[in-house]
Structures are given as C-alpha cells and as structure tokens.
Amino acid sequence: MLRIYNTLAKKVEEIQPATPGIIQMYTCGPTVYRDAHIGNLRTYLMADWVRRSLIHSGMQVTHIKNITDVGHMRQELAEAGGDKMIMAALAEGKTIQEIADVYAGRFFRDEARLNIMEATVFPWASHHIPEMITINEALVANGHAYEKGGNLYFDVPSFDGYGKLSNNIGGDLLEGVRSEADPLKRDPRDFTLWKAAEPGRDVKWDSPWGEGFPGWHIECSAMASKYLGESFDIHTGGVDNVFPHHEDEIAQSEAAFGNQHVNYWIHAQHLLADGAKMAKSAGNVFLIEELIERGFSPLSFRYLCMTVRYRHRMNFTFTSLKAAEKALTNLRHRMWLWSQEQADNGHAARYASEIDEYQRRFWDAVESDLDLPTALSLTWELVRSGLPGRVKMDLLLVFDEIFGLELDKAPAENSVTEDVITTLQIRGGHREQSDFATADSIRGQLASDGYLVEDTAGGTRVRPKTPLELRQEKWASVSSSREIKSYLDQPAELDFTYILNAYGYPSDVKRCIEGMLNHSGDHKVEAIVVDNGSTDGTGELLEGMLTQHPELRVVHCDHVIGDAASKNIGLMQSRGRNIVVMDGSAEITGNILDSINQQLSDPTVGIFGPWGLSTPDMQHFHEEVDSGDADAMQAYCMAFRREEINNVGLMRECFRFYRNLDIDYCFQFKDKGFRVVADASLPLVRHEHRQWTELDDNQRDELSRKNFGRFLKRWGNRPDLLIAADAVGFENQHKFHH
Ligand code: AMP
Ligand code: ZN
C-alpha cells in the first residue's frame, strides 16, 4: 500500500482506507476560463499516480475532480484586468458558460493526451449552488458564519482547528498584501462564503442573503461532501492550494459536519520554467498544445514529470523535455523490437526469481512516497539486463500500469503503408543475396521518406519516425544560450556582424535581412539570425534564405528563449569587429556601415544608432535625441564594438521581452564610462513594430512593468549616468548617497 507525505500529519504515512478496499479521493480541478498549463497538469499527473498506485493495491477508487466555473473567476478576472480572450468572447455575445465549456473541453483533451485517468465524476461548481447554500446555512445556524452587507463570512476564531493544515495562523498577513482588507470582516482571517452581487453582474444566484455568488472554497466543501461524504480519504492539489484554499475548506466542512474532513492531504510542488516561475508575463507558460506544435509527444512530458519527485520543485526546460522524449522513444522502440521475439512459455518459470525481484523493487519504490525517479532508474536497469526481450517486455507492461506511458504503442502514431512493406520485402531479397549495397540504399531512401528501418536477429522492422525525430533532422536547435559556443575570446575576422532576433513575422524578417545584406557595400559582413522558437514558418524561411545568402547564419531555438538570450547567442557567435543589433521592424535602406565605422572609431563612443532616447529621471524615456549624446539607444538598431562585450558583459537574460532591454544594455556601457550617440539621418526606416502593436493594453502593461522594474532595480540609483547629470550635479548627489 502507498506510503505518502500527508500535509496534515506532516509526515509520510501509509494510506489506510476508512472503508476496507475503497478509496474516496478528491482533486481540486481546473479553473475553466483559461487553459490549464503544464504546471497545473503536473499536479493532476501526481493525483493520477496516486490513484494508479492504489488501484494496484486492489483498491476501488472513486475520484472526484471539480470544474471551477464560478468562485474565483471573478477575483482573478479583476486581477488580470479582463482577460483578452474572455472579453472578446463576451463581446461576441458568448456567455460565461460557453467560454467555460470551451476551456473545459480543452482540459479534458489535454488530460487524455497525458493519459490521465478520467475522474469518476467531474462536477461543475455552478451546478452545485444549492449544496453550497445548504452548508452555508448550517454554518450560520451553528454560529460559525455571519452576514454583513449581503456577504456571508466564515468566523475563523469560532473554529478551533484553524491553521492545522498550513500552520498559517496569521492569515491577515497574506490578505494585507493582496488587497485592501475588507472592512466588513470581524477578523482579517475571516473568509467569504457568499458574496453579494455587484450592480450589473449577470452570473448570480438567489440566496437567503440576497443575490450573489459563492466564495471559492465553499465549492469544494459542497462537491466533496456530495460525492464522497462528510469525511473521506484523500484530497490532492498543488502546494499553493494549502493556504488559504484547503485550510478554509477544512474549517467550513468540519464546522458544518462535525467530522474530520479528510484523512490524507497530498500536495504537489510547483513547476518552474527556464528557471523562472511559470507566468504569462515571463512568456514561459507552456500548454500541451505548444509542446505538440514543437514536435513533442505529450507523453514525453509525463515521462519528464516522473524524473523528479512530486514533492520537489521541477524546473521545466526544453533540453530536459528533449531528453525525456528521447528516453520514451527509446523505451517504446525497444518494446516494439522485443514484441517481435518468439514468446516462450517457459520464461515465467525459468526467470521467476529475477522477475519477482524486479517487481518487488519496483513497487517498493512507487509506494515509497511515489518515488518514480527510482522506479524509472530500475526500469533502465532492467532494460540493460541480460534477461530475454520478452521477459523485459512483460515486466515493462506491468510497470506501465503506473507509468501510463503507453509503452505498448509504436514510437510513432502513423502506421506503415503497403508501399513501404513491399519496398521492405524487395530489400529483404537483396539482403538474402548478400547485395548489401542495394539494401542500404533502399534503407536510405526509406529514411528520407521518414521511416526508420532496423535489422535485428528476429528480422527487419520498420516504423515511421516520430515528429521530433523528423523535426530534428530538419535542423539542429538549441534550448538556451548556454548551449552556444562563444567566439568572443577569438579575434574578429570580419568587418561587421548584424544580429537579428527573429521572433516570428517571416515577411518582416525577410525585409530586415535583405536590407542588411543589400547595403553592406565593400564591407565583409555576416548576419546572424536567431530563430527564437518560431512556429509560423520563420524557421523554414530562414533555411530557404541560406542558399541565396552565404553571409547569413541561422541558429534555431526549440522554443521562445527570450529576447536577451537570443541576442546573446548572436553576440557570442559574432566574428565582426563591429556589431549591429537590429529589430525585424527596422529596414536598412542605404549605407549605414561607413557612419558606424566612423563613429565607433571614437573610443569614447560605446553605442551608436539612429534613434536615441533621453530621460530626466529614469522613469520616462523620450524619443527625442536625433543627434549627439543620448541616454540610451532604441533596439531597432544599435551598434557597438565587439571587443567591448568582454568588458561590459552580455545582455541580462531575465529580459525575456524586448522592452527596456535596450536601455538596460546601454547603461551597462555607460557604467563603463562610454557615451551613447545618436544620428537619425542614417538611411533606415521603421515599419510597424508588430511585436508591440499586436498586444492589447493589458499585455503591454504586464510585460512592460516587469522589465521596467528590472531596469530600475539595477540602475535606479545611478542618475549620475544620465547626460543631464552634469547639468544638475547628480554626480555629487550620487557620491553623497554612498
Ligand atoms: P487553478 O486552475 O489555478 O485552480 O490550478 C489548478 C491546479 O494546479 C491547482 O491544484 C494548483 O495548485 C495547481 N498549480 C497552479 N500552478 C502550478 C504550477 N506552476 N505547478 C504545478 N501546479 C500548479
Ligand atoms: Zn478545491
């Protein structure tokens, strides 16, 4: 039986079902006015592994996973300033319910793609308003809730056990930072059971306290008790649910029913991405759909999650996902080969002790607080062992009851066509006649048609390559700037290196590259274009351009690695004495390189470009510097000497979005005593900057705010670096502060 960390007991405990043979389990489900990202899905995978392990122990598991379509919808919508998609859907006349249906449908699809077992019931919060009201009434009747201004609050001091799950007794702390404390509450820890509808609200219900809608926590108390009873075995969620959601759920349910609500609380740690918290504003939120777009099989994410204990933070990177996909393909590939071997009835008896030992060690790992990393390494130990393929295959099929990796499926989805089978038979004929040259050339032809041919002792097998295998054949790609070799310690070999971070919009990219290469005159130039994980055809366009432009070099990234990381790849790979960093929206229309050469021959000049900025206060940057000294240069076009990179450093990769990165990098130069100089008469034009114009106001705010904060944090106390500093004596002020 599974032994697992119980957040309530604060230790690992063996699960003892309240009713022998039966497990009642509840999982806090998705909020369906947005997509569940792979972080959310990691938490659902954990619940799936818990469930599969209990099923293996012979338990009959009832698993409830709610769909949140009311509750914290409102609060989060307000925080997000109105999600673009929801606003658009509402404007089209879609109802909230229709929106919820769309996202719920996508959630079910993604769970199925990850082979997560379907819940026994997926109850919808909006269908359980009467049940929530009933619990609320019970809480009013027994003195645990009070009404104020049409709102109903849970009276936290009236419940003795408050804080037993999270150990968080100073709940006011959290609320204080989140929002203005609600003056209607008696105690800052009190939380909402029912909220009065504000004027104009259309999603609302009648209640004894007037029209309104339920608090978020009460929905889980209501649905859990309806489907599992007042007291049940297991409740799961992500660690962010521990407080306040689950703490409040315990208070409500136990105050209303008088029984212990849940025996085992199991919480999954968070998923981070590229080393940063997964967040929209960081541009590192990934959906299963996006992994598929990039050629991955969804189950490789499932595999990846098995490589880290559920109770540890997991940093998602595309490098690790690639490794997971490779391992999964490898396992399936071997299974597919072993399945060709003759079955042998004598195996079970002959290898009984080895088989038992593997089984014992495997289930022991799984049941030791869901130690899937150990279960996986045991799997590879088995794969490498000398046991017959068939024996390994049968064991792996048993392990797959937990893993859920569909190891019995061929590595690729598509099937092999009749034509391919015929070709393979012809090839077999050549092999029989020892005509290996012809056999090899047929194999090569099949490979370029997308098939992998493998000759084994048991015969020849063929399978289609997986989407990732095909993609990786198309071009090599990197997952981060750390995988790139730096030439910066070597002398320059060319006059100029142009660098372009291609973040999509193929026609802009093409225009920009042609502008660079058509106006390079007699200078020896190269253009390094970093395909920043595009999926809109930019990668293909660049590959196509390579043949016509020998000066062009392309680096593909397998996902959006961010603006600074992309540009750093260009910087590290550069071999030109001077560097010109461009944006796809700008176009060179004449000779700019002579002016750049001339300006950069002045050792006091650090950065030169057409469009300068100035600021009086570090807060507001104005596009007004057409010539002479500036405080910063805009990223549409900025030039500097390559040799200074080793002095000022690379760009700061926390800037995933372009905004303020240019200013930040200019300050790195200014900090080393260099000037930033502008000349707007350079022959360049600026076209629509689609990376900006295609954002809505909320997205702009969100993305800009973070980057501005990064800039200010580093340079806010350095007004001495501004050109205005001389005029107003910032220099002294700065010294004074130190
Ligand atoms: P929500 O849709 O926000 O209610 O979240 C659904 C589930 O995902 C909850 O159990 C959360 O605790 C969990 N969750 C949220 N963010 C993450 C993350 N980055 N990694 C893992 N789980 C998460
Ligand atoms: Zn919940």
Side-chain angles (χ1 to χ4, degrees), residues 15-53:
I15 304 247
Q16 310 268 3
T19 308
I22 290 178
I23 292 283
Q24 307 267 65
M25 170 167 166
Y26 187 94
T27 293
C28 283
T31 305
V32 288
Y33 65 82
R34 51 170 154 81
D35 282 305
H37 56 62
I38 58 174
N40 302 133
L41 287 160
R42 181 189 186 207
T43 295
Y44 302 124
L45 279 167
M46 185 262 312
D48 190 55
W49 284 311
V50 168
R51 178 174 170 188
R52 285 170 184 258
S53 157

Short mmCIF file of all heavy atoms in Angstrom, two decimals, residues 15-53:
data_model
loop_
_atom_site.label_atom_id
_atom_site.label_comp_id
_atom_site.label_asym_id
_atom_site.label_seq_id
_atom_site.Cartn_x
_atom_site.Cartn_y
_atom_site.Cartn_z
N ILE A 15 -1.36 4.75 3.63
CA ILE A 15 -2.78 5.05 3.46
C ILE A 15 -3.62 3.89 4.02
O ILE A 15 -3.42 2.73 3.64
CB ILE A 15 -3.11 5.24 1.96
CG1 ILE A 15 -2.20 6.34 1.39
CG2 ILE A 15 -4.60 5.48 1.75
CD1 ILE A 15 -2.83 7.59 0.97
N GLN A 16 -4.50 4.23 4.93
CA GLN A 16 -5.44 3.24 5.49
C GLN A 16 -6.83 3.70 5.10
O GLN A 16 -7.31 4.69 5.63
CB GLN A 16 -5.37 3.24 7.03
CG GLN A 16 -3.97 3.14 7.60
CD GLN A 16 -3.57 1.70 7.85
OE1 GLN A 16 -4.32 0.77 7.55
NE2 GLN A 16 -2.38 1.52 8.39
N PRO A 17 -7.48 3.01 4.19
CA PRO A 17 -8.82 3.48 3.79
C PRO A 17 -9.81 3.40 4.95
O PRO A 17 -9.73 2.48 5.76
CB PRO A 17 -9.21 2.53 2.65
CG PRO A 17 -8.28 1.38 2.73
CD PRO A 17 -7.05 1.80 3.49
N ALA A 18 -10.74 4.36 5.00
CA ALA A 18 -11.75 4.35 6.07
C ALA A 18 -12.62 3.12 5.93
O ALA A 18 -13.00 2.49 6.91
CB ALA A 18 -12.58 5.64 6.00
N THR A 19 -12.95 2.76 4.68
CA THR A 19 -13.70 1.54 4.41
C THR A 19 -12.77 0.60 3.68
O THR A 19 -12.22 0.98 2.64
CB THR A 19 -14.92 1.84 3.51
OG1 THR A 19 -15.65 2.92 4.10
CG2 THR A 19 -15.81 0.62 3.36
N PRO A 20 -12.55 -0.61 4.20
CA PRO A 20 -11.57 -1.50 3.56
C PRO A 20 -11.88 -1.71 2.08
O PRO A 20 -13.03 -1.89 1.68
CB PRO A 20 -11.74 -2.82 4.33
CG PRO A 20 -12.31 -2.42 5.65
CD PRO A 20 -13.15 -1.21 5.41
N GLY A 21 -10.82 -1.61 1.28
CA GLY A 21 -10.97 -1.88 -0.15
C GLY A 21 -11.47 -0.71 -0.97
O GLY A 21 -11.52 -0.79 -2.20
N ILE A 22 -11.81 0.39 -0.30
CA ILE A 22 -12.38 1.52 -1.03
C ILE A 22 -11.62 2.80 -0.70
O ILE A 22 -11.30 3.07 0.46
CB ILE A 22 -13.88 1.69 -0.68
CG1 ILE A 22 -14.65 0.52 -1.28
CG2 ILE A 22 -14.42 3.02 -1.19
CD1 ILE A 22 -16.11 0.53 -0.96
N ILE A 23 -11.30 3.57 -1.75
CA ILE A 23 -10.66 4.88 -1.53
C ILE A 23 -11.54 5.95 -2.13
O ILE A 23 -11.97 5.86 -3.29
CB ILE A 23 -9.26 4.93 -2.20
CG1 ILE A 23 -8.26 4.01 -1.50
CG2 ILE A 23 -8.74 6.36 -2.23
CD1 ILE A 23 -7.69 4.51 -0.20
N GLN A 24 -11.79 6.97 -1.33
CA GLN A 24 -12.56 8.13 -1.77
C GLN A 24 -11.58 9.29 -1.90
O GLN A 24 -10.94 9.67 -0.92
CB GLN A 24 -13.61 8.49 -0.72
CG GLN A 24 -14.50 7.36 -0.32
CD GLN A 24 -15.75 7.36 -1.16
OE1 GLN A 24 -15.70 7.14 -2.38
NE2 GLN A 24 -16.87 7.64 -0.52
N MET A 25 -11.49 9.84 -3.10
CA MET A 25 -10.42 10.80 -3.37
C MET A 25 -10.96 12.01 -4.11
O MET A 25 -11.78 11.89 -5.01
CB MET A 25 -9.38 10.05 -4.22
CG MET A 25 -8.30 10.85 -4.81
SD MET A 25 -7.02 9.67 -5.40
CE MET A 25 -6.08 10.78 -6.42
N TYR A 26 -10.47 13.20 -3.71
CA TYR A 26 -10.93 14.45 -4.32
C TYR A 26 -9.72 15.25 -4.79
O TYR A 26 -8.73 15.37 -4.07
CB TYR A 26 -11.71 15.27 -3.29
CG TYR A 26 -12.38 16.51 -3.85
CD1 TYR A 26 -13.71 16.48 -4.27
CD2 TYR A 26 -11.69 17.72 -3.94
CE1 TYR A 26 -14.34 17.61 -4.78
CE2 TYR A 26 -12.31 18.86 -4.45
CZ TYR A 26 -13.63 18.80 -4.86
OH TYR A 26 -14.24 19.93 -5.37
N THR A 27 -9.82 15.80 -6.00
CA THR A 27 -8.74 16.61 -6.54
C THR A 27 -9.30 17.97 -6.95
O THR A 27 -10.31 18.02 -7.67
CB THR A 27 -8.12 15.91 -7.78
OG1 THR A 27 -7.45 14.73 -7.34
CG2 THR A 27 -7.12 16.82 -8.49
N CYS A 28 -8.67 19.04 -6.48
CA CYS A 28 -9.11 20.37 -6.89
C CYS A 28 -8.83 20.52 -8.38
O CYS A 28 -7.68 20.42 -8.82
CB CYS A 28 -8.35 21.46 -6.13
SG CYS A 28 -8.97 21.64 -4.46
N GLY A 29 -9.88 20.74 -9.12
CA GLY A 29 -9.77 20.72 -10.58
C GLY A 29 -9.49 22.08 -11.19
O GLY A 29 -9.19 23.04 -10.49
N PRO A 30 -9.59 22.17 -12.50
CA PRO A 30 -9.17 23.38 -13.21
C PRO A 30 -10.19 24.52 -13.14
O PRO A 30 -11.37 24.30 -12.95
CB PRO A 30 -9.07 22.89 -14.65
CG PRO A 30 -10.14 21.86 -14.75
CD PRO A 30 -10.13 21.15 -13.42
N THR A 31 -9.66 25.71 -13.30
CA THR A 31 -10.49 26.90 -13.47
C THR A 31 -10.65 27.08 -14.97
O THR A 31 -9.65 27.15 -15.69
CB THR A 31 -9.74 28.10 -12.88
OG1 THR A 31 -9.42 27.80 -11.54
CG2 THR A 31 -10.60 29.34 -12.92
N VAL A 32 -11.88 27.11 -15.43
CA VAL A 32 -12.07 26.99 -16.88
C VAL A 32 -12.45 28.28 -17.60
O VAL A 32 -13.36 28.30 -18.41
CB VAL A 32 -13.09 25.87 -17.21
CG1 VAL A 32 -12.48 24.52 -16.95
CG2 VAL A 32 -14.36 26.06 -16.41
N TYR A 33 -11.73 29.34 -17.30
CA TYR A 33 -11.84 30.47 -18.23
C TYR A 33 -10.46 30.76 -18.80
O TYR A 33 -10.20 31.80 -19.35
CB TYR A 33 -12.44 31.70 -17.54
CG TYR A 33 -11.58 32.26 -16.46
CD1 TYR A 33 -10.52 33.12 -16.77
CD2 TYR A 33 -11.81 31.92 -15.14
CE1 TYR A 33 -9.70 33.60 -15.79
CE2 TYR A 33 -10.98 32.41 -14.17
CZ TYR A 33 -9.94 33.25 -14.48
OH TYR A 33 -9.11 33.72 -13.51
N ARG A 34 -9.57 29.80 -18.67
CA ARG A 34 -8.24 29.89 -19.26
C ARG A 34 -7.74 28.45 -19.43
O ARG A 34 -8.33 27.52 -18.90
CB ARG A 34 -7.28 30.65 -18.34
CG ARG A 34 -7.29 30.13 -16.90
CD ARG A 34 -6.16 30.75 -16.10
NE ARG A 34 -6.40 30.81 -14.68
CZ ARG A 34 -6.23 29.81 -13.82
NH1 ARG A 34 -5.87 28.63 -14.26
NH2 ARG A 34 -6.43 29.97 -12.53
N ASP A 35 -6.63 28.28 -20.16
CA ASP A 35 -6.11 26.94 -20.36
C ASP A 35 -5.34 26.47 -19.15
O ASP A 35 -4.69 27.27 -18.47
CB ASP A 35 -5.16 26.94 -21.57
CG ASP A 35 -5.92 26.93 -22.88
OD1 ASP A 35 -6.75 26.02 -23.06
OD2 ASP A 35 -5.70 27.83 -23.70
N ALA A 36 -5.39 25.18 -18.89
CA ALA A 36 -4.53 24.59 -17.86
C ALA A 36 -3.13 24.48 -18.48
O ALA A 36 -2.98 23.93 -19.57
CB ALA A 36 -5.04 23.21 -17.47
N HIS A 37 -2.12 25.05 -17.81
CA HIS A 37 -0.77 24.94 -18.36
C HIS A 37 -0.09 23.67 -17.83
O HIS A 37 -0.65 22.96 -16.99
CB HIS A 37 0.05 26.21 -18.08
CG HIS A 37 0.16 26.61 -16.64
ND1 HIS A 37 0.76 25.81 -15.70
CD2 HIS A 37 -0.25 27.73 -15.98
CE1 HIS A 37 0.73 26.40 -14.52
NE2 HIS A 37 0.11 27.58 -14.66
N ILE A 38 1.11 23.42 -18.31
CA ILE A 38 1.74 22.15 -17.95
C ILE A 38 2.06 22.08 -16.46
O ILE A 38 2.22 20.99 -15.92
CB ILE A 38 2.99 21.85 -18.82
CG1 ILE A 38 4.02 22.96 -18.70
CG2 ILE A 38 2.60 21.64 -20.28
CD1 ILE A 38 5.33 22.64 -19.42
N GLY A 39 2.15 23.23 -15.78
CA GLY A 39 2.33 23.23 -14.33
C GLY A 39 1.09 22.67 -13.64
O GLY A 39 1.18 21.80 -12.77
N ASN A 40 -0.07 23.15 -14.04
CA ASN A 40 -1.31 22.61 -13.49
C ASN A 40 -1.37 21.10 -13.77
O ASN A 40 -1.74 20.31 -12.90
CB ASN A 40 -2.54 23.25 -14.15
CG ASN A 40 -2.58 24.77 -14.00
OD1 ASN A 40 -2.82 25.49 -14.96
ND2 ASN A 40 -2.35 25.26 -12.79
N LEU A 41 -0.98 20.74 -14.98
CA LEU A 41 -1.10 19.34 -15.37
C LEU A 41 -0.14 18.45 -14.58
O LEU A 41 -0.44 17.29 -14.31
CB LEU A 41 -0.91 19.19 -16.88
CG LEU A 41 -2.12 19.73 -17.65
CD1 LEU A 41 -1.77 20.05 -19.10
CD2 LEU A 41 -3.29 18.74 -17.61
N ARG A 42 0.98 19.02 -14.17
CA ARG A 42 1.89 18.22 -13.33
C ARG A 42 1.16 17.80 -12.05
O ARG A 42 1.32 16.67 -11.57
CB ARG A 42 3.13 19.05 -12.96
CG ARG A 42 4.08 18.24 -12.11
CD ARG A 42 5.23 19.03 -11.53
NE ARG A 42 6.15 18.12 -10.86
CZ ARG A 42 6.94 18.47 -9.86
NH1 ARG A 42 6.96 19.71 -9.41
NH2 ARG A 42 7.73 17.59 -9.29
N THR A 43 0.37 18.72 -11.50
CA THR A 43 -0.38 18.41 -10.28
C THR A 43 -1.42 17.31 -10.52
O THR A 43 -1.62 16.43 -9.69
CB THR A 43 -1.01 19.72 -9.75
OG1 THR A 43 0.05 20.60 -9.38
CG2 THR A 43 -1.89 19.47 -8.55
N TYR A 44 -2.07 17.35 -11.70
CA TYR A 44 -3.05 16.30 -12.00
C TYR A 44 -2.37 14.96 -12.28
O TYR A 44 -2.93 13.90 -12.00
CB TYR A 44 -3.95 16.72 -13.18
CG TYR A 44 -4.67 18.01 -12.87
CD1 TYR A 44 -4.56 19.11 -13.69
CD2 TYR A 44 -5.42 18.13 -11.69
CE1 TYR A 44 -5.19 20.31 -13.37
CE2 TYR A 44 -6.03 19.32 -11.36
CZ TYR A 44 -5.91 20.41 -12.21
OH TYR A 44 -6.52 21.58 -11.88
N LEU A 45 -1.17 15.02 -12.81
CA LEU A 45 -0.41 13.78 -13.02
C LEU A 45 -0.10 13.13 -11.67
O LEU A 45 -0.23 11.91 -11.52
CB LEU A 45 0.90 14.08 -13.76
CG LEU A 45 0.79 14.24 -15.28
CD1 LEU A 45 2.08 14.83 -15.85
CD2 LEU A 45 0.50 12.89 -15.94
N MET A 46 0.28 13.95 -10.70
CA MET A 46 0.58 13.41 -9.38
C MET A 46 -0.64 12.65 -8.84
O MET A 46 -0.52 11.52 -8.37
CB MET A 46 0.97 14.56 -8.45
CG MET A 46 1.43 14.16 -7.09
SD MET A 46 0.24 14.23 -5.75
CE MET A 46 -0.56 15.78 -5.83
N ALA A 47 -1.82 13.27 -8.95
CA ALA A 47 -3.03 12.61 -8.46
C ALA A 47 -3.26 11.30 -9.22
O ALA A 47 -3.70 10.30 -8.65
CB ALA A 47 -4.24 13.54 -8.61
N ASP A 48 -2.95 11.32 -10.51
CA ASP A 48 -3.13 10.12 -11.33
C ASP A 48 -2.22 8.99 -10.84
O ASP A 48 -2.64 7.82 -10.78
CB ASP A 48 -2.82 10.46 -12.80
CG ASP A 48 -3.22 9.35 -13.76
OD1 ASP A 48 -4.40 8.94 -13.73
OD2 ASP A 48 -2.35 8.88 -14.52
N TRP A 49 -0.99 9.33 -10.48
CA TRP A 49 -0.07 8.29 -10.00
C TRP A 49 -0.50 7.76 -8.63
O TRP A 49 -0.39 6.56 -8.36
CB TRP A 49 1.37 8.82 -9.95
CG TRP A 49 1.98 8.89 -11.32
CD1 TRP A 49 1.98 7.89 -12.25
CD2 TRP A 49 2.66 9.99 -11.92
NE1 TRP A 49 2.62 8.30 -13.40
CE2 TRP A 49 3.06 9.58 -13.23
CE3 TRP A 49 2.98 11.29 -11.51
CZ2 TRP A 49 3.75 10.42 -14.10
CZ3 TRP A 49 3.68 12.11 -12.38
CH2 TRP A 49 4.06 11.68 -13.66
N VAL A 50 -1.01 8.64 -7.80
CA VAL A 50 -1.54 8.19 -6.50
C VAL A 50 -2.67 7.18 -6.75
O VAL A 50 -2.70 6.08 -6.19
CB VAL A 50 -2.08 9.40 -5.68
CG1 VAL A 50 -2.89 8.92 -4.49
CG2 VAL A 50 -0.91 10.29 -5.23
N ARG A 51 -3.55 7.56 -7.64
CA ARG A 51 -4.70 6.70 -7.93
C ARG A 51 -4.27 5.35 -8.51
O ARG A 51 -4.74 4.29 -8.09
CB ARG A 51 -5.61 7.43 -8.90
CG ARG A 51 -6.83 6.64 -9.33
CD ARG A 51 -7.72 7.53 -10.17
NE ARG A 51 -8.79 6.80 -10.82
CZ ARG A 51 -9.60 7.35 -11.73
NH1 ARG A 51 -9.44 8.63 -12.07
NH2 ARG A 51 -10.55 6.64 -12.29
N ARG A 52 -3.36 5.37 -9.47
CA ARG A 52 -2.91 4.13 -10.10
C ARG A 52 -2.23 3.21 -9.09
O ARG A 52 -2.39 1.99 -9.14
CB ARG A 52 -1.96 4.43 -11.26
CG ARG A 52 -2.66 4.95 -12.51
CD ARG A 52 -1.64 5.45 -13.51
NE ARG A 52 -2.27 6.05 -14.69
CZ ARG A 52 -2.39 5.44 -15.87
NH1 ARG A 52 -1.93 4.22 -16.04
NH2 ARG A 52 -2.97 6.06 -16.88
N SER A 53 -1.48 3.83 -8.16
CA SER A 53 -0.80 3.01 -7.16
C SER A 53 -1.83 2.33 -6.26
O SER A 53 -1.68 1.15 -5.90
CB SER A 53 0.14 3.90 -6.35
OG SER A 53 0.40 3.34 -5.11
#
